[in-house]
Amino acid sequence: MEETPLGGRLSDYRDLLGWSQTALADQLGVAQAFVSQVERGDKPFPETLASDLAGRGEVPFSFFLVPTRSVAPVTFRKKASASVRDEKRIVAEFREAARLFEAVSREAGYHEARLPAPGDFEGDAVLLAEEVRRRGGIDPDEPVRNVTRLMERLGVGVVSTLEPGHAAEGEHVSISRPADANGRPLVAMIASCSGDRQRLSLAHELAHLIFDQKLTHGIRSTRSPEERRAFDFASALLVPDRIIRHAVSESVTLQGYLPLKARYGISVAALIQRAKRMGVISEDRARSLHIQRSSQGWTKHEPVTVVAEKTRLWQQSYRRVFPDMPNHDVAGQIGQCYKLLDDWFEDVPEVAADKVVSLASWRQRKVGAQVPRAASPSV
């Protein structure tokens, strides 16, 4: 770490708290122009100012000594109505989480990501999905029992909830940074949500890690080619195309999709969308089914509950590196926000006894677990 406070961290601090430069300047009793100059590096970051901010209890002084990494674009699964203010806060939190995961997974001895190269499969989303299933030891027609565990064994860290306590099913759903894909990438669900939405969102971000490593700017449209490709990959990963072609037709009723949801842990809405994009059902049929979903109240609560998955590697790596340290002390040592560590990890020191998950052992082990437990369809 540097010995003097770094202006870029002042910007990170402000984004974490959701403050504008003007709001921070008012808090500190300085001019907005001064805050802007410090953040740009045009003026030094006074140690007294950093000490003042640290004394307010959100972050330790060491937070302002952490070098700011190059800002690579992130990818979101989000609604078009998502706010810019929320996005800045979430991006700042995710950068802190990614920095932490990169450090603790390395220290814990966990391997880097092992993802397939799109060029080896002509950039085909379905072929890439099939390859990821193969690497995970999943039979061609079998469900992905646990998307989180599959990603962890491929070297991708997963945060189940980046912002505990925030409203479920919010406008921002998941986030990743594709530039990290060849190292120790992290994917985060932003708030708690239904298991089917979580599984599709995680697979969606995995697609961005595979396809969009050279992304130079954020993806602004939910209808962009990158987003459509990520959906194709995610849905093909969860439900192989041959299953869709075998089980779905123009005559299948809305409730006829529920057994597929129960077995493969993917929403009816996503199944309809995938069937339409594959040409298995027409646009008119898909529109009719979506209207039926809406009229029956399925847009908010679909039948058949898919249990949300829990992360293992994220917690395991942290506790292996800091087995006996309270979160407050860890925050001071690594320059982290106090609240974030308390949100992400229980403040009860304990040594993780399980072995770090192994891709090799995963391949050798026969898949015998069940799909995330789902209630019987009400048909």
Side-chain angles (χ1 to χ4, degrees), residues 180-347:
D180 298 339
N182 289 321
R184 301 172 185 277
L186 185 72
V187 169
M189 296 299 300
I190 293 165
S192 60
C193 65
S194 61
D196 52 323
R197 193 180 197 196
Q198 179 199 42
R199 285 163 56 84
L200 186 69
S201 298
L202 291 176
H204 185 100
E205 298 302 338
L206 178 59
H208 285 308
L209 293 180
I210 292 172
F211 286 104
D212 301 318
Q213 297 171 24
K214 296 182 180 179
L215 196 69
T216 58
H217 53 81
I219 302 170
R220 307 313 303 178
S221 172
T222 57
R223 297 184 177 182
S224 68
E226 295 89 351
E227 288 295 290
R228 290 177 180 272
R229 182 175 59 195
F231 173 79
D232 287 343
F233 170 90
S235 55
L237 179 68
L238 295 181
V239 188
D241 280 9
R242 74 182 78 196
I243 298 298
I244 296 287
R245 296 188 189 281
H246 175 75
V248 177
S249 68
E250 197 82 353
S251 62
V252 172
T253 66
L254 181 64
Q255 298 219 354
Y257 284 81
L258 293 177
L260 273 179
K261 176 180 180 179
R263 177 162 173 75
Y264 289 93
I266 180 172
S267 70
V268 171
L271 287 167
I272 294 170
Q273 185 71 5
R274 182 61 181 156
K276 183 188 76 171
R277 287 180 61 78
M278 290 173 59
V280 174
I281 62 174
S282 66
E283 290 194 14
D284 286 344
R285 181 57 176 163
R287 187 180 304 110
S288 172
L289 290 169
H290 284 308
I291 291 172
Q292 293 176 52
R293 286 184 65 253
S294 179
S295 67
Q296 295 190 34
W298 288 18
T299 53
K300 291 186 178 295
H301 302 288
E302 279 191 3
V304 183
T305 298
V306 179
V307 177
E309 299 171 358
K310 295 183 179 181
T311 183
R312 179 178 298 169
L313 180 61
W314 168 245
Q315 304 281 341
Q316 189 179 82
S317 297
Y318 179 77
R319 280 305 169 202
R320 282 197 170 194
V321 176
F322 304 109
D324 301 312
M325 290 181 66
N327 291 338
H328 186 278
D329 294 348
V330 175
Q333 179 172 314
I334 66 175
Q336 186 59 274
C337 174
Y338 297 123
K339 183 179 183 302
L340 291 182
L341 291 187
D342 287 338
D343 281 347
W344 297 335
F345 308 104
E346 289 187 17
D347 198 11

Side-chain angles (χ1 to χ4, degrees), residues 160-177:
S160 299
T161 312
L162 189 68
E163 294 192 323
H166 281 247
E169 309 289 343
E171 293 182 328
H172 292 86
V173 182
S174 57
I175 182 172
S176 63
R177 188 166 57 193

Side-chain angles (χ1 to χ4, degrees), residues 110-130:
Y110 188 64
H111 63 77
E112 293 187 345
R114 299 167 179 172
L115 303 177
D120 294 340
F121 300 88
E122 301 180 351
D124 188 288
V126 174
L127 293 179
L128 265 296
E130 291 174 352

Side-chain angles (χ1 to χ4, degrees), residues 138-153:
I138 303 168
D139 291 339
D141 294 343
E142 288 299 303
V144 179
R145 313 291 179 178
N146 191 306
V147 177
T148 299
R149 212 65 67 238
L150 170 63
M151 292 171 63
E152 289 177 339
R153 291 179 172 103

